[in-house]
Amino acid sequence: MKIYEKGGMIRKAMAVNPYCSPIAHHVLWQDLFRQQAYLHAHEEPPNFGSRSLFWTPLINAATLRQMGSIEEAKFAAARLLALKPDFKPRGRILIGRCIKFDEIALPFIEGLNKVGGAVD
């Protein structure tokens, strides 16, 4: 099975329910990010919806950095800080609420720190 085919059960459920919660896309993104399938992970944030105002640029900044798209990642980090000015002191707490595993959180935070979205 190819990396991007994982999450099949979630994708089938999403196909049946066109009004599924944006959290389903977040789950897919985390799994792809964990697998270092950054190109495919980058396809999920646009589907997060407006309820995750700062999460889309946050996830884009870290994912783009891991893909090697430094300038785009810096732009996403700047957008994150514009939307959430108190992100730097609160970032670890906010990230920890949704990303529970160190194998995902550590490279995520590392990517952010390299593009100006540093967390304390």
Side-chain angles (χ1 to χ4, degrees):
M1 183 182 273
K2 295 179 185 173
I3 289 176
Y4 58 88
E5 290 177 342
K6 290 194 177 186
M9 190 183 311
I10 293 172
R11 290 190 191 280
K12 286 178 187 175
M14 290 166 57
V16 172
N17 178 5
Y19 304 105
C20 71
S21 172
I23 198 71
H25 293 283
H26 185 76
V27 170
L28 291 172
W29 170 81
Q30 277 198 44
D31 187 44
L32 291 164
F33 193 90
R34 178 188 60 81
Q35 296 176 59
Q36 299 178 358
Y38 302 120
L39 181 61
H40 298 293
H42 183 60
E43 295 170 358
E44 291 303 324
N47 300 311
F48 284 6
S50 62
R51 292 192 299 174
S52 41
L53 292 174
F54 71 92
W55 277 98
T56 298
L58 169 63
I59 287 170
N60 278 333
T63 305
L64 286 164
R65 170 57 185 97
Q66 297 297 9
M67 289 170 53
S69 301
I70 307 302
E71 292 307 312
E72 289 179 79
K74 287 180 180 180
F75 179 79
R79 180 157 163 62
L80 162 66
L81 295 175
L83 289 170
K84 194 81 170 154
D86 64 340
F87 181 77
K88 287 186 180 190
R90 297 186 61 222
R92 283 193 191 271
I93 293 168
L94 295 171
I95 291 167
R97 288 181 181 163
C98 290
I99 301 176
K100 304 293 184 188
F101 303 99
D102 285 344
E103 68 182 291
I104 301 169
L106 295 177
F108 185 81
I109 291 170
E110 176 185 315
L112 281 174
N113 286 339
K114 290 181 178 178
V115 294
V119 294
D120 294 341

